């Protein structure tokens, strides 16, 4: 099959190369000409604009797959595509957009007869080699029409239509919220083991051990072991943890539906704490302990 890949960042480029490796045809476009050139070098057909990308797809059912940052960039691209595409065409929105926006966008495109699938994509930079996990929301007919593309991108049993419009990005949102909690638990456990100096546990080797038969074995644990093998103390890493939005949306959804999400909520809060070089709340806590109990303060004044 032939499709246009719009957005050639780490994920979009990896998906492009995997599609090409599985004998699919790709028209590649990105606002960065160097990214387009890299895709062309890999075997894709380069486009200089969205208009050019759509024109290169031909006159049959045209398929465009967006791998763009959530928010205004994706909104603008979809508005432009709405003017360029027509009845029977399919748009796949593969970025990490809020599922509510995805539902609105699908309705907007449906008025023109354009079908939209919102597809949560997991697998990171390893997806090109191992396959991408795909969670699709939208019309069943559109999903089946893209079967060769989905099969090329995903590993065995790694793609599924999870529900109607919005369901794909909702599933990916919760997926990433769960990921927050799992990563936080690994980080806390390893910090505790590192602090037990008398045992001098080799954390990279322990990760390798746990990957063989342990109930906590996972890909995240394997990646933790890889990072620790490169640098046991991770001295090169600043203790600043970003969040990409899905964790916040997951917590807000829990509030809206009155569903308790204590682990995911606290893991999100810990990411916020990592960004504070000088925490006022921590300083106030220390001062309060001193006020009511005379507990020692580690003072910057030297007293």
């Amino acid at each position: 099959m032939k499709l246009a890949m719009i957005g050639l960042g780490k994920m979009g480029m990896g998906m492009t190369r995997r599609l090409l490796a599985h004998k699919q045809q790709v028209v590649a476009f990105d606002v960065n000409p160097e990214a387009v050139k890299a895709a062309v070098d890999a075997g894709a057909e380069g486009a200089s604009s969205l208009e050019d990308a759509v024109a290169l797809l031909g006159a049959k059912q045209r398929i465009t797959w967006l791998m763009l940052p959530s928010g205004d960039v994706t909104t603008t691209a979809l508005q432009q595509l709405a003017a360029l595409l027509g009845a029977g065409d399919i748009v796949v929105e593969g970025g990490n957009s809020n599922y509510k926006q995805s539902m609105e966008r699908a309705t907007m495109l449906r008025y023109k007869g354009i079908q939209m699938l919102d597809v949560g994509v997991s697998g990171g930079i390893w997806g090109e080699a191992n396959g991408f996990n795909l969670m699709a929301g939208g019309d069943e007919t559109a999903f089946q029409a893209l079967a060769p593309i989905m099969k090329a991108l995903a590993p065995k049993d790694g793609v599924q239509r999870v529900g109607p419009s919005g369901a794909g990005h909702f599933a990916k949102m919760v997926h990433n919220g769960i990921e927050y909690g799992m990563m936080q638990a690994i980080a806390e456990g390893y910090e505790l083991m590192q602090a037990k100096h008398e045992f001098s546990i080799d954390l990279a080797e322990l990760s390798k051990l746990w990957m063989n038969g342990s109930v906590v074995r996972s890909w995240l644990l394997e990646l933790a072991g890889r990072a620790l093998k490169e640098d046991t103390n991770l001295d090169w890493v600043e203790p600043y943890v970003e969040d990409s939005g899905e964790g916040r949306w997951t917590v807000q959804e829990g509030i809206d539906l009155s569903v308790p999400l204590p682990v995911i909520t606290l893991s999100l809060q810990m990411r916020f704490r990592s960004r504070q070089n000088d925490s006022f709340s921590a300083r106030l806590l220390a001062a309060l302990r001193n006020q009511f109990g005379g507990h020692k303060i580690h003072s910057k004044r030297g007293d």
Side-chain angles (χ1 to χ4, degrees):
M1 293 187 74
K2 188 173 186 178
L3 84 162
M5 183 65 69
I6 313 299
L8 301 171
K10 293 177 182 178
M11 294 291 283
M13 186 65 79
M15 294 170 73
T16 294
R17 286 195 288 253
R18 185 171 175 87
L19 286 167
L20 292 168
H22 285 74
K23 310 304 180 186
Q24 304 299 308
Q25 300 178 65
V26 180
V27 174
F29 172 66
D30 192 279
V31 293
N32 179 5
E34 291 300 315
V36 177
K37 182 180 182 302
V40 171
D41 290 343
E45 190 174 2
S48 59
S49 64
L50 270 179
E51 292 83 358
D52 188 30
V54 171
L56 289 170
L57 287 174
K60 295 182 180 180
Q61 185 178 56
R62 294 168 293 186
I63 301 166
T64 55
W65 191 306
L66 276 64
M67 290 302 295
L68 299 170
S70 62
D72 293 343
V73 174
T74 294
T75 298
T76 299
L78 285 170
Q79 289 171 342
Q80 292 174 336
L81 284 173
L84 295 169
L85 300 174
D89 293 335
I90 301 174
V91 173
V92 180
E93 211 281 82
N96 285 325
S97 292
N98 188 294
Y99 78 94
K100 295 177 182 178
Q101 280 189 307
S102 299
M103 295 171 71
E104 294 170 356
R105 291 163 174 168
T107 299
M108 181 266 292
L109 291 172
R110 198 175 298 124
Y111 282 121
K112 289 201 63 178
I114 303 168
Q115 299 183 78
M116 185 183 116
L117 295 175
D118 53 283
V119 178
V121 182
S122 184
I125 58 176
W126 300 83
E128 180 183 345
N130 301 333
F132 296 91
N133 186 270
L134 306 175
M135 300 150 259
D139 186 77
E140 176 71 28
T141 303
F143 177 72
Q144 292 300 331
L146 269 62
I149 291 170
M150 300 292 189
K151 184 178 180 181
L153 286 171
K156 186 178 183 297
D157 299 325
V159 57
Q160 186 179 121
R161 176 185 174 270
V162 297
S165 293
H169 281 159
F170 181 82
K172 180 57 163 48
M173 177 191 77
V174 177
H175 166 284
N176 283 22
I178 293 170
E179 178 185 296
Y180 277 41
M182 292 173 67
M183 292 172 68
Q184 184 66 32
I186 291 171
E188 290 177 9
Y190 276 55
E191 182 175 19
L192 179 60
M193 289 187 289
Q194 186 194 48
K196 194 68 172 176
H197 301 300
E198 65 191 270
F199 289 156
S200 300
I201 295 174
D202 187 324
L203 298 182
E205 287 300 310
L206 186 67
S207 297
K208 188 185 299 183
L209 171 67
W210 283 353
M211 285 304 297
N212 291 280
S214 164
V215 296
V216 297
R217 64 186 182 274
S218 67
W219 188 47
L220 288 173
L221 191 67
E222 180 183 351
L223 294 177
R226 288 172 60 95
L228 290 164
K229 188 173 183 179
E230 294 173 9
D231 180 355
T232 303
N233 294 317
L234 301 176
D235 291 326
W236 63 280
V237 182
E238 287 290 337
Y240 185 103
V241 188
E242 292 282 6
D243 72 285
S244 55
E246 297 89 341
R248 298 186 188 212
W249 300 338
T250 302
V251 171
Q252 185 60 56
E253 196 72 24
I255 293 170
D256 293 344
L257 296 177
S258 299
V259 174
L261 303 174
V263 172
I264 295 173
T265 301
L266 286 175
S267 66
L268 175 64
Q269 295 292 329
M270 289 303 292
R271 294 194 178 199
F272 298 157
R273 171 51 68 94
S274 77
R275 303 168 199 175
Q276 294 181 297
N277 294 323
D278 188 8
S279 170
F280 177 79
S281 64
R283 285 187 281 128
L284 182 57
L285 283 171
L288 285 171
R289 292 182 75 248
N290 175 259
Q291 290 292 322
F292 73 72
H295 299 289
K296 180 181 177 181
I297 288 179
H298 295 270
S299 175
K300 294 180 179 179
R301 299 178 303 192
D303 53 7

